[in-house]
Amino acid sequence: MLHSIALPVIDGLAAFEFGLLSEVFGLDRSVYSDVPAFDFRVCGLEAGRPVTTQVGAQVIPAYGLEAMEHADVIAVPAAQIRPAEEYPEELVDALRRAADRGAILLSACSGAFLLGAAGLLDGRPCTTHWRHAEELQRRYPTARVDPDVLFVDDGDLVTSAGTAAGIDASLHLVRRELGSAIANVIARNMVVPPQRDGGQRQYIERPMPQVSSDALGDVLAYMEDRLAEAHSVASLAQRAHMSSRTFARRFVAETGVTPMQWLASQRVLQARLALETTDASIEEIAASCGFGSATLFRHHFTREVGIAPSAYRRSYACEAAEMLETIAATPERDLVAAH
């Protein structure tokens, strides 16, 4: 479940990572969509005490650290990296208590260093901005730092790489807990792609999903609009006015994955939404999403999602019903996002 989110802030706060976490979780979109309003709280060491940022502005948290005590998610933005002993002791202790009670910990960029200072990365797979990955590994040698991915989902610990990868990790968490439909609404309103796979390389020629080549951008849009159709590297290269070899090389350099991997991931994403929101059969979804057969669909879906399509549909239906029951039983005042 994902209902309440606490965002702790300290001096040296990174404005972009603070902003992206606030954008995903802090805005009340329930007035024009089916996205539930999150109970969102910005928490400082002391309520009302300004926190400095790296861009010369200040943020004034409305809550103290006590507001973290019952949050489902603790979203830790990037901040100026400092020695472990210089992170506020009371915040470090609050993070440990949150982990002990089973809260989900989400970090953006260098927010992972604060989690490391609390001992919460020990023995866990994680990531951070590629520029800081070596230092994170040096400080916390038992952490399993992967510098080559956008984000790492280790259940109750989700860590992301630099800047925009925090958006990917946040939307991934929303999708994991609340489903693709809600994640897609948030992504659409943020005008960002609904999903980039966490295993995509973070350090590529152009880490954002938008591509520098108009030809490749046109091909991506063409593929996305025609997921049900058959595509080959040769046919896509011809549309981009490139040789097959050049097209394949440029595609990987721009997106981090091969054309067929990208296509399969987008088809699985569309299939997830169909499984969550329609009663279509597995065979019908396989055909509408461009898989040649139900068998091929099951193969790709299970490899990417981790469970079979039918099991995913059953699991999501149960989670959705539980969420609706929880919302129905929650007082209306507690469903209003706190800003």
Side-chain angles (χ1 to χ4, degrees):
M1 294 302 298
L2 198 162
H3 169 58
S4 54
I5 295 90
L7 196 159
V9 293
I10 57 176
D11 285 331
L13 178 68
F16 183 85
E17 285 77 3
F18 170 77
L20 75 86
L21 293 170
S22 300
E23 176 75 20
V24 173
F25 300 109
L27 298 185
D28 184 358
R29 297 179 173 90
S30 63
V31 295
Y32 56 82
S33 70
D34 293 331
V35 176
F38 299 120
D39 178 2
F40 179 76
R41 302 185 176 192
V42 177
C43 308
L45 301 182
E46 181 182 332
R49 189 172 100 188
V51 170
T52 64
T53 71
Q54 297 175 13
V55 295
Q58 293 182 325
V59 170
I60 301 177
Y63 298 90
L65 297 183
E66 66 279 357
M68 292 173 52
E69 292 301 325
H70 302 289
D72 302 320
V73 176
I74 310 297
V76 183
Q80 180 181 357
I81 298 173
R82 62 201 73 189
E85 62 273 12
E86 293 185 12
Y87 284 104
E89 183 177 353
E90 53 267 55
L91 176 54
V92 170
D93 289 341
L95 288 170
R96 289 173 180 149
R97 290 195 300 272
D100 288 343
R101 63 178 172 77
I104 298 171
L105 302 172
L106 168 67
S107 71
C109 193
S110 62
F113 282 82
L114 179 52
L115 297 181
L120 304 178
L121 301 183
D122 296 346
R124 306 288 295 271
C126 59
T127 193
T128 189
H129 193 293
W130 60 267
R131 194 182 301 275
H132 305 310
E134 185 176 343
E135 175 64 15
L136 185 69
Q137 187 68 82
R138 186 191 66 78
R139 290 193 187 192
Y140 310 109
T142 64
R144 291 149 51 197
V145 181
D146 187 343
D148 296 322
V149 295
L150 295 176
F151 61 86
V152 175
D153 180 350
D154 192 40
D156 58 359
L157 175 67
V158 181
T159 53
S160 72
T163 56
I167 299 175
D168 299 304
S170 298
L171 291 176
H172 167 78
L173 181 59
V174 173
R175 178 174 292 103
R176 191 188 80 181
E177 298 296 316
L178 301 177
S180 295
I182 290 177
N184 288 351
V185 169
I186 296 175
R188 189 178 308 116
N189 280 274
M190 293 178 65
V191 198
V192 297
Q195 177 168 339
R196 286 197 296 173
D197 178 49
Q200 180 176 321
R201 298 204 320 271
Q202 62 164 294
Y203 187 41
I204 53 182
E205 291 181 17
R206 191 171 169 86
M208 291 294 290
Q210 292 82 9
V211 294
S212 58
S213 165
D214 289 341
L216 285 180
D218 291 343
V219 170
L220 283 174
Y222 175 82
M223 294 166 69
E224 191 171 17
D225 289 341
R226 296 167 177 81
L227 293 178
E229 299 179 12
H231 301 283
S232 68
V233 172
S235 66
L236 296 170
Q238 184 177 16
R239 176 167 288 276
H241 305 292
M242 301 178 190
S243 69
S244 295
R245 177 174 295 183
T246 298
F247 173 76
R249 176 178 57 80
R250 289 282 300 278
F251 196 99
V252 172
E254 294 277 1
T255 69
V257 294
T258 68
M260 294 302 104
Q261 287 172 331
W262 188 91
L263 187 61
S265 293
Q266 295 303 308
R267 284 170 170 167
V268 167
L269 178 59
Q270 181 170 299
R272 289 175 66 166
L273 184 59
L275 289 167
E276 295 170 8
T277 60
T278 75
D279 295 325
S281 67
I282 298 299
E283 290 73 17
E284 290 171 333
I285 293 175
S288 67
C289 294
F291 295 100
S293 66
T295 299
L296 187 62
F297 169 45
R298 291 186 181 95
H299 167 74
H300 282 286
F301 191 94
T302 302
R303 184 177 65 180
E304 183 150 331
V305 180
I307 59 175
S310 56
Y312 178 85
R313 171 175 269 169
R314 288 194 300 271
S315 174
Y316 179 78
C318 291
E319 291 174 0
E322 182 181 351
M323 181 183 71
L324 290 174
E325 290 176 1
T326 300
I327 291 174
T330 303
E332 182 178 353
R333 65 179 181 276
D334 293 335
L335 290 176
V336 178
H339 297 282

